[in-house]
């Protein structure tokens, strides 16, 4: 009996070791999109020892992205290496050494383990990108989208690697925010899911898992909350100023819903709620807002345009 038990334990250990060996350890990362999110993801991946290629449409965009990363790294070392300036300088040097840029996504994906897409929130454009890269990326390469509002399953269906496709939703600003939502579709393999979780931990984040439901966890709770605040204001039940004060002082939130809407961008919020409304037109949580629509139509999009629900100098 003892012999049989030992054999069973050895067999189980061997099986676990084999499974672990099959799990992809991400070393080479390609990030598509040099905006705030893409640059942030590239930064944390490079800072944690990964070889990273940041891709965008022009060298001008990529120069701006690289400059932003360098400035962000300087802010990081002020906190992380406050008493060790030499170690801070070495950290920046090592991070930037791990990072290169390119305007040719097809040319760089042939040797990557993980592709993270962080481009414009447009289903058609994302689908076209993944469809094209799918033809050139190695078989083992995992594809992931940083989308905050689109269905991962629909993006995965534009490729032939649905089992090697998932969501990696980082939060802005990426170097500061610890959370990553790891999204598993019905087709995502366990091996792929575990590789994405391991990668999230490797870049210093705290991963949470969620099925492919609209908005995942954070935005599924946050966006309806912000929209309900707008409806409260639309009905004349309370002023936007008092609603913001109430949620900051009463709920302990760092920003009120209207301040947050202006920070996120009213066009972004409208895009998300319109997309969810088209998926579930009878869900009252996803009902569009006439006031939000009006402000977006008037190009009052929040802080980035100088005016949204509030005016900014």
């Amino acid at each position: 009996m003892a012999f049989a038990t030992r054999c069973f334990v050895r067999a189980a250990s061997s099986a676990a070791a084999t499974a672990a060996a099959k799990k992809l350890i991400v070393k080479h990362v390609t990030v598509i999109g040099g905006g705030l999110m893409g640059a942030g993801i590239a930064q944390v991946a490079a800072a944690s020892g990964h070889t990273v290629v940041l891709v965008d449409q022009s060298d001008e965009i990529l120069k701006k992205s690289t400059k932003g990363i360098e400035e962000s790294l300087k802010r990081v070392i002020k906190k992380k290496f406050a008493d060790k300036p030499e170690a801070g300088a070495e950290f920046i040097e090592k991070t930037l050494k791990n990072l290169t840029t390119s305007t040719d996504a097809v040319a760089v994906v042939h040797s990557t383990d993980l592709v993270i897409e962080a481009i414009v929130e447009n289903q058609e454009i994302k689908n076209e990108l993944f469809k094209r890269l799918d033809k050139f990326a190695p078989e083992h390469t995992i594809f992931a989208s940083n989308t905050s509002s689109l269905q991962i399953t629909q993006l995965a269906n534009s490729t032939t690697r649905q089992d090697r496709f998932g969501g990696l939703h980082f939060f802005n600003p990426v170097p500061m925010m610890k959370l990553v939502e790891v999204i598993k579709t019905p087709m995502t393999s366990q091996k792929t899911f575990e590789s994405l979780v391991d990668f999230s931990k490797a870049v210093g984040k705290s991963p949470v898992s969620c099925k492919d439901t609209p908005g995942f966890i954070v935005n599924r709770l946050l966006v309806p909350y912000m929209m309900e605040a707008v409806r409260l204001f639309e009905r004349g039940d309370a002023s936007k100023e008092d609603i913001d004060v109430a949620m900051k002082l009463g709920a302990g939130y760092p920003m009120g819903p209207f301040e947050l809407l202006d920070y996120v961008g009213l066009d972004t919020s409208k895009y998300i709620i319109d997309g969810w409304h088209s998926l579930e037109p009878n869900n009252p949580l996803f009902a569009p807002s006439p006031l939000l629509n009006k402000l977006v139509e008037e190009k009052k999009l929040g802080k980035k345009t100088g005016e949204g629900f509030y005016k900014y100098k």
Side-chain angles (χ1 to χ4, degrees):
M1 183 67 179
F3 174 78
T5 302
R6 285 196 300 272
C7 288
F8 175 79
V9 170
R10 280 200 299 270
S13 300
S14 176
T18 303
K22 289 181 179 179
K23 186 166 61 175
L24 177 66
I25 298 173
V26 174
K27 295 180 180 178
H28 303 281
V29 182
T30 299
V31 180
I32 313 291
L36 280 175
M37 293 301 296
I41 295 167
Q43 176 183 323
V44 297
S48 53
H50 298 83
T51 302
V52 182
V53 182
L54 179 61
V55 180
D56 213 307
Q57 295 176 321
S58 72
D59 288 324
E60 187 179 348
I61 294 172
L62 290 167
K63 283 179 184 176
K64 186 178 178 182
S65 303
T66 304
K67 185 180 179 183
I69 290 171
E70 290 173 353
E71 290 173 354
S72 176
L73 286 170
K74 288 175 184 176
R75 290 192 294 272
V76 170
I77 65 166
K78 281 183 181 179
K79 293 183 178 180
K80 194 172 182 180
F81 301 97
D83 302 324
K84 300 176 182 177
E86 289 183 6
E90 186 180 348
F91 173 76
I92 291 179
E93 185 183 348
K94 282 185 177 180
T95 299
L96 294 178
K97 193 175 180 181
N98 289 334
L99 177 66
T100 56
T101 61
S102 175
T103 56
D104 190 348
V106 167
V108 299
V109 296
H110 65 84
S111 59
T112 196
D113 298 319
L114 173 64
V115 173
I116 303 176
E117 167 273 312
I119 63 173
V120 63
E121 282 287 86
N122 182 293
Q123 181 86 48
E124 197 173 320
I125 295 173
K126 289 180 189 285
N127 280 347
E128 182 56 39
L129 172 69
F130 282 124
K131 184 178 180 181
R132 183 158 54 97
L133 297 184
D134 188 41
K135 297 174 183 176
F136 298 94
E139 186 178 343
H140 79 274
T141 303
I142 295 172
F143 282 9
S145 176
N146 182 59
T147 182
S148 60
S149 61
L150 301 175
Q151 283 194 308
I152 301 297
T153 302
Q154 290 185 4
L155 297 174
N157 285 340
S158 65
T159 75
T160 59
R161 62 182 75 216
Q162 290 97 330
D163 61 322
R164 286 150 287 154
F165 204 115
L168 276 180
H169 183 217
F170 290 79
F171 290 80
N172 188 35
V174 177
M176 302 295 293
M177 300 294 279
K178 298 293 289 183
L179 185 68
V180 175
E181 292 175 323
V182 183
I183 312 306
K184 185 178 183 182
T185 77
M187 301 168 292
T188 306
S189 70
Q190 185 63 22
K191 170 185 166 183
T192 295
F193 172 72
E194 289 176 5
S195 295
L196 291 175
V197 169
D198 287 350
F199 171 74
S200 301
K201 292 178 180 177
V203 299
K205 304 303 179 186
S206 298
V208 294
S209 64
C210 184
K211 292 182 179 179
D212 191 17
T213 185
F216 315 136
I217 298 173
V218 174
N219 281 340
R220 181 59 180 262
L221 297 174
L222 186 61
V223 174
Y225 150 73
M226 293 191 296
M227 293 303 295
E228 189 58 26
V230 176
R231 295 184 194 107
L232 195 68
F233 176 50
E234 282 178 322
R235 291 194 300 267
D237 293 338
S239 70
K240 59 181 183 292
E241 292 84 2
D242 280 354
I243 294 170
D244 276 351
V245 169
M247 294 312 296
K248 286 188 287 186
L249 301 185
Y253 288 10
M255 299 174 76
F258 293 97
E259 292 171 325
L260 187 55
L261 279 160
D262 278 355
Y263 178 79
V264 170
L266 304 193
D267 53 335
T268 302
S269 300
K270 173 177 160 53
Y271 183 85
I272 292 171
I273 208 70
D274 286 352
W276 294 357
H277 181 65
S278 67
L279 289 173
E280 300 182 27
N282 297 321
N283 190 333
L285 291 175
F286 301 160
S289 158
L291 177 57
L292 182 63
N293 291 345
K294 179 176 180 289
L295 289 170
V296 171
E297 191 177 333
E298 294 172 350
K299 306 297 182 186
K300 296 175 181 177
L301 309 181
K303 292 194 77 171
K304 61 186 174 184
T305 59
E307 184 176 356
F309 284 102
Y310 296 110
K311 289 184 178 180
Y312 304 88
K313 292 181 181 180

